[in-house]
Amino acid sequence: MKTLKLAVVAILFMTFSCKDKKKEDTTDAKIVAENVEKPNKEVTNGYKVGDIVKDFSLKNVDGKMVSMSDFAKAKGFIITFTCNTCPYSVAYEDRLIALDKKYASKGYPVIAINPNSPEARPDDSFEAMQVRAKEKGFTFPYIFDDGQKVYPVFGATRTPHMYVIAKTPKGNEVKYIGAIDNNHKDASAVTKRYVEDAVDALLEGKAVEVTTTKAIGCSIKV
């Protein structure tokens, strides 16, 4: 009799667990559908690898305007289009801080640009950016694409969307476009570090082997 009761309890546990797992999977699928698969119809063009980037002037969370020309000693830049609200962007915040810590002193500082419209995403407002930057202790500029004029020029479609840029005799040249690495869920499980590999190659005077990857993240909110 005791064995029968245990069997019934086990069956009930498995049934409810499956229901919870199905619900969780459905929720995850919904998030992916809303944030990843939705195309951004506002951007049809943008920079390609080898293009020369036009400078910008955008307000940082400290109230000062930031341009690439401000970084006279930089050898290039790690530019990311990111935001407060996208779960993919949030997952990469610590890795962005680590990238800036590793490469800013070597001549490749991180510059983070928030392309989202605060009308579409109130939690991505300039004031919310200031709060988030302070909470996370961002060591890099976190600037606001006011009027959403810069991200279409770059051709960014996701948050996060990465651009590795090198200073060359021709100007600020795009060397890599795409994802930070190949595992947004677990930093310890990353096997391909696209941004790091690109910057390391440039620092060594070598060609970047992987120049483009698919940026995985939330669609930019207009």
Side-chain angles (χ1 to χ4, degrees), residues 31 35 82-91 93 114-118 120-125 128-129 132 142 159-160 218-221:
I31 291 174
N35 288 330
T82 187
C83 66
N84 294 344
T85 58
C86 173
Y88 296 87
S89 294
V90 172
E93 285 176 333
N114 175 15
N116 281 354
S117 166
R121 282 289 188 274
D123 287 340
D124 279 324
S125 68
M129 288 171 60
R132 189 60 181 170
Y142 187 25
T159 53
C218 305
S219 59
I220 291 173
K221 304 302 186 289

Side-chain angles (χ1 to χ4, degrees), residues 60-200:
N60 188 23
V61 289
D62 63 2
K64 298 178 181 179
M65 303 302 288
V66 171
S67 300
M68 289 185 290
S69 59
D70 296 331
F71 297 80
K73 296 182 179 180
K75 298 176 182 178
F77 305 93
I78 300 171
I79 293 181
T80 177
F81 288 87
T82 187
C83 66
N84 294 344
T85 58
C86 173
Y88 296 87
S89 294
V90 172
Y92 273 114
E93 285 176 333
D94 289 338
R95 276 174 266 185
L96 286 175
I97 293 171
L99 282 172
D100 191 60
K101 183 178 180 180
K102 182 176 181 178
Y103 291 111
S105 61
K106 297 179 181 180
Y108 279 83
V110 169
I111 298 178
I113 304 174
N114 175 15
N116 281 354
S117 166
E119 294 181 4
R121 282 289 188 274
D123 287 340
D124 279 324
S125 68
F126 181 73
E127 292 74 20
M129 288 171 60
Q130 291 176 307
V131 172
R132 189 60 181 170
K134 186 176 181 179
E135 287 177 346
K136 290 297 297 183
F138 285 166
T139 56
F140 46 81
Y142 187 25
I143 56 182
F144 181 48
D145 188 4
D146 192 12
Q148 299 182 287
K149 298 175 182 177
V150 172
Y151 89 84
V153 176
F154 272 76
T157 60
R158 304 289 176 193
T159 53
H161 205 147
M162 308 297 297
Y163 293 77
V164 174
I165 296 168
K167 286 186 178 181
T168 72
K170 296 183 294 182
N172 294 318
E173 184 177 338
V174 179
K175 296 293 187 178
Y176 169 80
I177 302 174
I180 296 176
D181 54 43
N182 67 344
N183 195 320
H184 74 276
K185 293 183 179 180
D186 185 358
S188 65
V190 170
T191 58
K192 298 291 184 181
R193 294 175 171 80
Y194 305 120
V195 169
E196 289 191 43
D197 289 346
V199 178
D200 285 342

